[in-house]
Amino acid sequence: MTCARRYVVSGRVQGVGVRRFVQKAAVDAGASGWVRNLDDGSVEAYVIAGESGQGEIAAAIRRGPRWADVRTVRDEEAAMLELKGFRIR
């Protein structure tokens, strides 16, 4: 079943490749959505994918790329939007 989730990632997550890392994980999982930096230094991702895809993406987000230091990940259901592809905002 396809669902939409919003992830907010905190720690050392800006300037270390997190957005590109999340985009690759999402594309590999066949997801749609977007990822962006927030003014408070965190990164937000909106992901539309099936349950297994969401699981893969959530695991990747919690791991982060090599130079990141992911401290917390907030994960919540989100309203379903009509999006194609996955982009960095």
Side-chain angles (χ1 to χ4, degrees):
M1 178 179 196
T2 301
C3 63
R5 299 203 67 79
R6 177 179 175 260
Y7 300 91
V8 178
V9 188
S10 300
R12 191 177 76 228
V13 294
Q14 289 191 10
V16 292
V18 169
R19 289 179 303 158
R20 197 165 302 278
F21 181 84
V22 171
Q23 181 186 40
K24 181 180 182 333
V27 169
D28 289 351
S32 299
W34 48 262
V35 62
R36 66 181 175 182
N37 286 338
L38 296 178
D39 291 340
D40 66 0
S42 61
V43 171
E44 177 184 30
Y46 173 83
V47 179
I48 301 169
E51 287 180 37
S52 65
Q54 289 286 0
E56 292 171 27
I57 295 163
I61 288 172
R62 284 179 172 79
R63 185 175 61 249
R66 177 192 308 184
W67 303 112
D69 181 13
V70 175
R71 296 287 173 99
T72 61
V73 178
R74 279 197 342 251
D75 173 2
E76 59 192 35
E77 267 187 70
M80 189 71 91
L81 303 174
E82 292 286 327
L83 299 174
K84 294 194 187 302
F86 197 95
R87 62 189 180 114
I88 296 173
R89 288 186 163 179

